């Protein structure tokens, strides 16, 4: 429910409405607008107090909110959000590219990749120290030493780091090394993890769950915001369908849909969506055309030797060439994009 206050409502009237809502077991949130204050009401079935609230002094109307998510929706928060990741602003009009290996394998592999993707124009470094793998016998990441390599790569290149966290117990350690926490597709409805990253104080990259509707994805984001963290970036990474020609089915329409329903930035991961490196560039460009605020791309110095997701990882040369195309397309679409000279390094 959204309580619209009169433009001339006094502080006392606002305080009275807040107290009334709280006393009945709901959580009121002040939502300042251009010319009047609104109060959002969080909790189960707030319509039971609607008539009583509408009759309070200073209240113009108490309007039911149609969507089950509140904090992430545009009904409460019409203006688009910008998420700042250690100075890299996602959702501010410039396309932001996060790139790096699927898994951190060694300091050398990570630093070489970080230097290359930075020179090619990426603004964030990605790489998993903790890997969620379908098989327990696959490489599941280096763990704590992987976090050390991420720290080192950031120190050497200045690129902020995004890396996945798998369990609530790991959040503090991963947040100590990362500038942004990734919640992966397999954990997109792990509600205790969502609560823990909500309390972490770090921006969160939330992948869409393997079989999640857009509404379920937004409700997962709602968990993070409801636990005090407004800095969530949504990531479409393909969903599970009957099709086997690609690893997943990239749902590009979900980009404008999610952006219409939510004020959060939306980025696209064509690497996990397609599973095949020759499909990544075209789908990356399609994502830019669909209005994505950024891209997540897997890159490896020697993809055929990668310990995870080699078939979908781009070589350095392929990544550079993709970035040239992304820059040209962004310019044609009048997106702003930071142009980093190709000789730039640490
Ligand atoms: C990853 O980014 O390497 C990853 C495991 O992603 P997803 O959760 O989308 O499969
Ligand atoms: Mn991967």
């Amino acid at each position: 429910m959204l309580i619209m206050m009169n433009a001339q409502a006094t502080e006392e009237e606002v305080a009275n409405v807040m107290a009334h809502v709280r006393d009945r077991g709901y959580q009121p949130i002040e939502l300042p607008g251009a010319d009047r204050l609104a109060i959002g009401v969080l909790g189960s079935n707030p319509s039971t107090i609607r008539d009583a609230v509408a009759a309070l002094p200073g209240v113009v109307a108490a309007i039911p909110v149609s969507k089950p998510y509140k904090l992430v929706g545009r009904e409460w928060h019409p203006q688009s959000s910008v998420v700042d990741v250690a100075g890299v602003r996602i959702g501010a009009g410039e396309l932001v590219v996060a790139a790096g290996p699927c898994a951190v394998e060694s300091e050398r592999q990570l630093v070489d990749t970080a230097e290359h993707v930075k020179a090619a124009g990426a603004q964030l470094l990605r790489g998993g120290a903790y890997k969620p793998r379908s098989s327990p016998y696959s490489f599941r990441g280096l763990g704590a030493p992987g976090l050390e390599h991420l720290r080192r790569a950031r120190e050497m290149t200045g690129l902020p780091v995004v890396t996945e966290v798998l369990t609530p117990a790991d959040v503090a350690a991963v947040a100590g090394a990362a500038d942004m926490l990734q919640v992966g597709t397999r954990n997109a409805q792990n509600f205790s993890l969502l609560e823990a990253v909500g309390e972490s104080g770090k921006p969160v990259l939330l992948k869409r769950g393997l079989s999640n509707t857009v509404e379920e994805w937004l409700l997962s984001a709602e968990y993070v915001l409801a636990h005090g963290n407004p800095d969530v970036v949504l990531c479409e990474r393909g969903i599970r369908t009957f099709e086997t020609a690609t690893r997943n089915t990239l749902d590009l329409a979900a980009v404008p849909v999610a952006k219409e329903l939510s004020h959060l930035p939306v980025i696209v991961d064509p690497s996990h969506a397609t599973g095949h490196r020759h499909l990544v560039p075209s789908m990356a460009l399609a994502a830019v055309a669909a209005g994505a605020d950024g891209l997540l791309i897997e890159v490896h110095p020697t993809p055929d030797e990668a310990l995870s997701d080699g078939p979908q990882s781009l070589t350095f040369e392929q990544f550079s060439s993709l970035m040239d195309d992304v820059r040209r397309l962004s310019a044609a679409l009048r997106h702003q994009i930071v142009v980093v000279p190709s000789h730039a390094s640490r």
Side-chain angles (χ1 to χ4, degrees):
M1 184 167 66
L2 203 51
I3 304 169
M4 305 306 298
M5 298 301 294
N6 189 310
Q8 282 80 42
T10 64
E11 275 180 32
E12 264 181 345
E13 287 170 337
V14 172
N16 180 44
V17 174
M18 298 285 285
H20 182 98
V21 169
R22 224 178 271 116
D23 289 350
R24 276 145 193 86
Y26 293 91
Q27 187 189 345
I29 311 246
E30 288 194 35
L31 304 166
D35 45 25
R36 64 173 72 221
L37 178 79
I39 298 172
V41 179
L42 290 177
S44 176
N45 203 10
S47 61
T48 55
I49 61 166
R50 187 174 160 206
D51 290 346
V53 166
L56 293 174
V59 173
V60 175
I63 307 160
V65 172
S66 59
K67 302 287 191 283
Y69 42 82
K70 315 293 175 195
L71 299 169
V72 309
R74 289 221 189 242
E75 284 174 287
W76 281 27
H77 192 296
Q79 67 281 23
S80 297
S81 289
V82 174
V83 172
D84 188 314
V85 182
V88 174
R89 286 159 55 76
I90 307 179
E94 289 171 7
L95 192 86
V96 171
V97 178
C102 178
V104 176
E105 297 171 4
S106 67
E107 182 178 312
R108 181 77 199 269
Q109 169 244 20
L110 186 66
V111 171
D112 282 358
T113 309
E115 287 177 340
H116 183 84
V117 300
K118 179 179 179 181
Q123 296 102 317
L124 297 172
L125 174 66
R126 64 141 287 142
Y130 296 90
K131 295 302 304 175
R133 303 305 299 274
S134 298
S135 164
Y137 309 118
S138 298
F139 176 63
R140 295 168 67 193
L142 295 177
L147 295 180
E148 279 312 308
H149 299 331
L150 286 164
R151 277 199 187 91
R152 181 91 182 117
R154 179 180 40 196
E155 206 175 275
M156 292 181 75
T157 61
L159 287 181
V161 160
V162 51
T163 193
E164 181 161 356
V165 61
L166 294 182
T167 70
D170 290 336
V171 167
V174 177
D179 298 288
M180 182 177 218
L181 300 175
Q182 179 172 319
V183 174
T185 195
R186 294 160 189 81
N187 266 322
Q189 288 188 304
N190 178 341
F191 302 116
S192 40
L193 180 62
L194 294 169
E195 289 174 355
V197 297
E199 287 158 15
S200 69
K202 287 283 161 95
V204 173
L205 179 66
L206 176 62
K207 298 271 194 122
R208 180 178 179 183
L210 212 52
S211 298
N212 282 177
T213 62
V214 170
E215 185 168 291
E216 287 166 334
W217 186 23
L218 296 180
L219 283 167
S220 290
E222 185 85 8
Y223 269 88
V224 182
L225 271 77
H227 278 260
N229 189 347
D231 295 324
V232 175
V233 173
L234 301 167
C235 180
E236 160 62 36
R237 49 76 71 204
I239 49 174
R240 180 64 65 86
T241 69
F242 56 83
E243 183 56 70
T244 55
T246 48
R247 182 176 178 185
N248 293 289
T249 297
L250 179 56
D251 181 9
L252 273 185
V255 175
V257 169
K259 287 181 72 72
E260 189 182 334
L261 296 173
S262 172
H263 53 88
L264 299 174
V266 181
I267 72 167
V268 170
D269 167 0
S271 304
H272 293 87
T274 62
H276 300 285
R277 82 176 66 97
H278 70 283
L279 299 176
V280 169
S282 54
M283 292 303 97
L285 296 173
V288 175
D293 296 297
L295 297 168
L296 188 79
I297 310 278
E298 287 190 337
V299 179
H300 194 283
T302 49
D304 292 340
E305 292 163 25
L307 298 181
S308 82
D309 287 349
Q312 68 197 32
S313 299
L314 300 189
T315 63
F316 289 174
E317 294 65 32
Q318 287 169 327
F319 181 70
S320 294
S321 152
L322 170 59
M323 290 299 285
D324 288 342
D325 289 346
V326 162
R327 265 188 285 274
R328 276 206 298 279
L329 179 61
S330 291
L333 295 171
R334 291 177 221 260
H335 273 293
Q336 291 167 277
I337 183 162
V338 181
V339 178
V340 179
S342 59
H343 58 269
S345 71
R346 81 185 107 123

